[in-house]
Amino acid sequence: MPIPHLLLALAIIAIWGTNFVVIKIGLEEFPPLLYASLRFAFSCLPWLFLVKRPQVPWRLLVGTGLFLGFGLFGLLFIAMRADITPGVASIVVQTQAFFTIALAMLFLRERLRMFQIAGLALCVGGLVMLFANVDGSLTVRGLLLALTGGFCWGVANLIAKRAGKVDMLGFMVWSSMFAVPPLLLASFWIEGTSSIATALMHASASAWATAVWQGVGNTLFGYGAWNWLLARHQATTVAPLSLLVPVVAMLSSALILDEALPAWKLEAAALLLAGLAVIALWPRWRERLRHAS
C-alpha cells in the first residue's frame, strides 16, 4: 500500500477510534435515539440531492438503514448513555466479525474453518471476562445492547456484500435516509416530545458539532474513504487495520474522559482483539508461511 493510502487509512482509524469519545460528549446533551436520528439526518441531507442513487434494489438500502442505523447505532447510543464506557463499547461492537461469519454460514453456506473457531473462542473468553466484571460503569444491559448492535452490524455487512461493487458513498447516503424515520419514531415514543424539544432548543454548539461530525466526518468520509481503499487494495491488506480502532478508542477515552483501565478490562480487550486478529489475519499469515517453506 502506498504511503499516502496508508496515511489515509490511519486517519480513518483515528476518526473512528476517537469517535466513541465524541459520541459520549454528544450524549451528555442529546437523548440517544434523537442523537442517532441526527447522525443519519446529517448523513443524508443535503447529500441526497448531490449524490446519485446507486443502482441496487431498494430493499438493500432499506435494510442497511434499518440494521446499521437503528440496529447498531440506536442500540449503541442507548448503551453508551450510562451502561457501557466508550473503550469497552468500541471492543464489544467488533463482535460483528463473528456475527458476520455465523450469518455467512447460515445464509451463504460458507464453511467454518479451524482458525475461525480459534478466533471465536478467544472472543468468547474476552466477553465472559467482561460479563464477570460488570460494575457501575459497565452493566449487563450495556453489554447486551452493544452485542445486539454488533449482530445488527453483521447483518448490515451481509446486505452490503449482496450490493456488490457499487459507489459506497452513494450507498451510505441513500441508506442513511431509511435510518432516520424509525429512529425518530422510537425517539418520540421512548424519549418523549418534551425531552426532544428541550435537547434541540438548549443543546450547545459543541453538541451540535458532534452530531454533524457523526454524519459527515465519521459516516460519509470514514466509510466512503474506507471503501475507496477497499476498491484499490486487497481486503486482507485493508481490513486488518480496523483492529486498531478499539486501541485508539480505549486510549482516547482514558486520556480525555478518564476511563479507568483496570487489569481485567485490558485482559478482556486483549482476548477479544487477539480473536479478531486471528480471524482477520490468519489466512494471510498462512499464505506467507506457505511461500516461505
Side-chain angles (χ1 to χ4, degrees):
M1 182 184 293
I3 295 298
H5 292 193
L6 178 60
L7 292 175
L8 177 61
L10 293 176
I12 299 166
I13 289 163
I15 288 169
W16 284 349
T18 56
N19 191 56
F20 286 87
V21 172
V22 174
I23 291 169
K24 188 67 175 178
I25 293 171
L27 288 172
E28 292 177 359
E29 299 190 45
F30 287 114
L33 291 172
L34 174 63
Y35 191 47
S37 304
L38 292 172
R39 173 197 175 111
F40 285 95
F42 289 126
S43 296
C44 65
L45 294 174
W47 321 111
L48 283 172
F49 304 105
L50 303 173
V51 179
K52 185 179 179 182
R53 182 178 76 85
Q55 296 303 304
V56 298
W58 283 102
R59 67 178 183 276
L60 298 185
L61 296 171
V62 173
T64 301
L66 288 174
F67 282 99
L68 195 63
F70 187 83
L72 171 57
F73 288 102
L75 297 178
L76 179 63
F77 285 8
I78 292 171
M80 287 185 63
R81 186 72 180 268
D83 293 287
I84 194 169
T85 59
V88 175
S90 70
I91 298 170
V92 176
V93 295
Q94 294 300 325
T95 55
Q96 56 86 18
F98 63 75
F99 283 125
T100 301
I101 292 170
L103 291 166
M105 288 175 54
L106 184 62
F107 294 106
L108 303 181
R109 305 295 186 219
E110 293 186 6
R111 293 174 55 194
L112 184 65
R113 303 178 184 277
M114 285 302 299
F115 75 90
Q116 292 172 326
I117 295 174
L120 293 176
L122 288 169
C123 289
V124 170
L127 289 173
V128 168
M129 186 170 291
L130 288 177
F131 275 102
N133 288 277
V134 293
D135 55 19
S137 65
L138 176 65
T139 69
V140 172
R141 177 177 180 265
L143 284 169
L144 291 176
L145 284 170
L147 277 172
T148 307
F151 170 79
C152 290
W153 191 359
V155 175
N157 286 340
L158 257 65
I159 294 172
K161 187 172 183 178
R162 287 191 177 276
K165 295 182 178 180
V166 297
D167 172 21
M168 289 306 296
L169 176 60
F171 190 82
M172 288 306 302
V173 167
W174 282 82
S175 63
S176 293
M177 175 175 61
F178 296 102
V180 177
L183 283 168
L184 202 53
L185 286 172
S187 179
F188 275 107
W189 180 38
I190 298 171
E191 295 163 347
T193 54
S194 61
S195 177
I196 293 171
T198 300
L200 293 176
M201 288 189 296
H202 298 290
S204 65
S206 61
W208 280 106
T210 67
V212 173
W213 180 248
Q214 291 299 302
V216 179
N218 186 68
T219 302
L220 297 186
F221 173 76
Y223 283 98
W226 189 257
N227 284 289
W228 184 87
L229 289 171
L230 285 172
R232 286 159 177 78
H233 302 281
Q234 292 184 351
T236 53
T237 299
V238 178
L241 293 172
S242 66
L243 294 174
L244 294 173
V245 171
V247 177
V248 174
M250 292 195 76
L251 290 176
S252 60
S253 183
L255 290 172
I256 299 171
L257 301 178
D258 293 324
E259 177 178 345
L261 296 177
W264 63 264
K265 189 180 290 187
L266 294 175
E267 290 165 2
L271 284 171
L272 280 160
L273 289 175
L276 294 170
V278 168
I279 292 169
L281 299 177
W282 175 249
R284 192 176 180 184
W285 291 338
R286 184 179 55 192
E287 284 301 315
R288 286 188 175 182
L289 290 172
R290 185 177 297 170
H291 288 304
S293 63

